[in-house]
Amino acid sequence: MIIVLAIDALEYNLVIEFNCNNLKQKFYGKTNITEFSEPRTMVLWSSFMSGRNMENEIISKGDKEMWNTQINLGDTFFKSFKNPKIIDLPGFNYYKEQHKMERIMLKKYFDTQNETEKKEIKIEYNNHAFEHHRKVKREFIEALNGPYDFVLGYFSIADVIGHLNFGNRTMMKMIYRDLDEIASGIKGNFIVLSDHGMEKVGIFGDHSNYGFWSTGFKDLDNPKITDFADIIKEIKEGRTWKKNMEQ
Amino acid sequence: MEEEYGTIRIPKSLKLKLLEYIKDTDFKSIDEYIVFVLEEVMKDENEEIYSEEDEIKVKERLKALGYLG
């Protein structure tokens, strides 16, 4: 079984600072996403699974329709597996209503000028995200014991909570500790991958222009997010991935 | 009004270490010491304060990233 722990907005510097050794594994580093004009979640995960830069296609859909992107299995590297299990991945099979509600609450938070209302929305927003996180965590742990040859679990908590709470170190530390605990429960080789990281803007968080990767078996240097389709296919076939330096 | 208290479980080995640690200090109990440490941690780690300027900046960024469309 090949396992990918896909974590939205997992920040390289916090993984180091909070000593998340299970997320770090033996080899770790930053991904190179400079080919993209902005670190957009839907663009990056779609490009990851298709193995090609999908920025223009996704952006041309517009801000609303972009979130409804659903790439067919045949257009992803998942097709090279007999029985893949993908959990909540943007651009493939994510829980649309859940993530739509997050964006609605985020908009409400920024639209209101009322401080009390802001506080209430933030509490509701955080609770909504934590509840979903627990659900995905259960599903992921269950899948690790299932009849699959590939498991990908997508965790959005660091991104969703980070946007309104990145300046709250206690809360972020708690989230990173939980993600590290999830990684500690994975047996065998796995890849940790984030689409982008996060940088602090006061109490808030904005996407940073690099992602995070780690493996226990190979130094990937400074890979592009689109390299992972080949990396994973080659791990499956027992070959060693070599970066094409001419790319 | 007097503060209400709850119970928190900690490993016995840690409790023994803390007892040793506070024996030459002014703390009367490990409960008092733990409350002190936790309050200090919360103080240091939540140092960021809200600013309208940050909010405007992040709102614009989230718009650009497609979150607020």
Side-chain angles (χ1 to χ4, degrees):
Chain A
M1 182 191 281
I2 296 177
I3 300 153
V4 175
L5 187 49
I7 305 177
D8 207 304
L10 188 73
E11 169 54 42
Y12 176 92
N13 294 316
L14 287 195
V15 172
I16 312 297
E17 212 176 308
F18 295 157
N19 285 319
C20 300
N21 292 329
N22 300 299
L23 289 174
K24 262 200 312 198
Q25 306 192 75
K26 190 173 176 186
F27 304 102
Y28 62 93
K30 292 179 181 176
T31 58
N32 178 352
I33 54 170
T34 53
E35 66 185 290
F36 301 94
S37 65
E38 289 280 6
R40 291 181 179 89
T41 289
M42 186 56 81
V43 168
L44 292 164
W45 290 116
S46 298
S47 302
F48 154 75
M49 73 183 98
S50 65
R52 62 186 177 86
N53 185 330
M54 292 189 69
E55 186 168 45
N56 290 339
E57 282 165 77
I58 305 283
I59 290 179
S60 68
K61 295 176 183 214
D63 282 352
K64 276 207 175 114
E65 196 47 39
M66 165 176 85
W67 298 104
N68 292 325
T69 300
Q70 201 169 348
I71 299 172
N72 293 324
L73 179 75
D75 296 325
T76 72
F77 74 84
F78 309 147
K79 69 177 176 194
S80 54
F81 292 90
K82 276 184 191 153
N83 196 14
K85 172 75 176 174
I86 316 295
I87 303 164
D88 198 23
L89 186 66
F92 189 72
N93 65 346
Y94 83 152
Y95 299 114
K96 277 185 194 165
E97 286 310 311
Q98 166 71 26
H99 300 292
K100 187 178 171 188
M101 188 52 76
E102 288 159 5
R103 293 192 301 278
I104 288 171
M105 284 195 261
L106 205 53
K107 190 170 184 325
K108 267 190 192 170
Y109 176 91
F110 285 106
D111 282 350
T112 183
Q113 301 304 315
N114 182 309
E115 236 177 86
T116 313
E117 208 179 327
K118 265 193 201 302
K119 274 184 192 161
E120 284 169 3
I121 294 168
K122 190 167 165 176
I123 291 169
E124 194 190 345
Y125 174 85
N126 288 352
N127 288 343
H128 189 254
F130 279 116
E131 198 179 315
H132 181 64
H133 174 70
R134 287 190 286 271
K135 180 185 163 184
V136 171
K137 185 176 168 180
R138 278 195 303 272
E139 211 177 319
F140 180 65
I141 292 168
E142 213 176 286
L144 295 178
N145 297 309
Y148 310 108
D149 53 352
F150 179 76
V151 173
L152 182 148
Y154 167 79
F155 292 85
S156 58
I157 191 85
D159 183 71
V160 179
I161 293 292
H163 281 308
L164 293 190
N165 306 272
F166 200 65
N168 182 336
R169 276 178 60 85
T170 306
M171 191 178 276
M172 295 315 294
K173 197 184 268 186
M174 189 180 82
I175 289 167
Y176 275 64
R177 192 179 157 151
D178 192 58
L179 292 167
D180 196 55
E181 188 195 299
I182 293 169
S184 77
I186 304 173
K187 306 275 179 286
N189 287 333
F190 64 100
I191 292 173
V192 177
L193 182 66
S194 75
D195 47 352
H196 51 77
M198 192 159 267
E199 57 192 26
K200 195 164 67 177
V201 182
I203 63 166
F204 304 101
D206 183 16
H207 294 183
S208 63
N209 59 359
Y210 51 81
F212 174 89
W213 66 267
S214 80
T215 76
F217 49 91
K218 185 167 174 56
D219 188 351
L220 304 176
D221 194 16
N222 184 216
K224 293 180 184 177
I225 198 162
T226 46
D227 287 336
F228 282 86
D230 281 343
I231 292 171
I232 292 167
K233 271 191 277 181
E234 292 179 14
I235 293 169
K236 178 183 174 281
E237 288 157 17
R239 289 186 284 136
T240 312
W241 179 76
K242 280 195 187 115
K243 191 172 185 174
N244 181 353
M245 301 309 280
E246 286 169 10
Q247 279 177 344
Chain B
M1 204 173 111
E2 203 168 306
E3 188 91 53
E4 274 190 48
Y5 284 80
T7 308
I8 293 175
R9 285 157 57 90
I10 61 167
K12 215 170 184 175
S13 56
L14 178 61
K15 185 183 166 184
L16 293 172
K17 273 186 202 166
L18 291 175
L19 278 171
E20 184 65 24
Y21 192 77
I22 64 162
K23 74 177 181 193
D24 296 323
T25 69
D26 290 336
F27 292 104
K28 293 182 191 75
S29 67
I30 52 170
D31 301 57
E32 199 182 306
Y33 178 68
I34 289 171
V35 169
F36 169 78
V37 170
L38 290 179
E39 280 176 351
E40 286 302 302
V41 167
M42 298 302 284
K43 214 190 294 173
D44 287 349
E45 301 212 332
N46 293 298
E47 62 200 13
E48 292 301 334
I49 49 161
Y50 169 85
S51 97
E52 203 180 331
E53 198 184 317
D54 292 334
E55 181 174 325
I56 292 166
K57 192 176 166 189
V58 168
K59 187 178 179 179
E60 286 312 308
R61 287 292 302 135
L62 291 176
K63 259 187 204 164
L65 294 169
Y67 282 94
L68 306 178

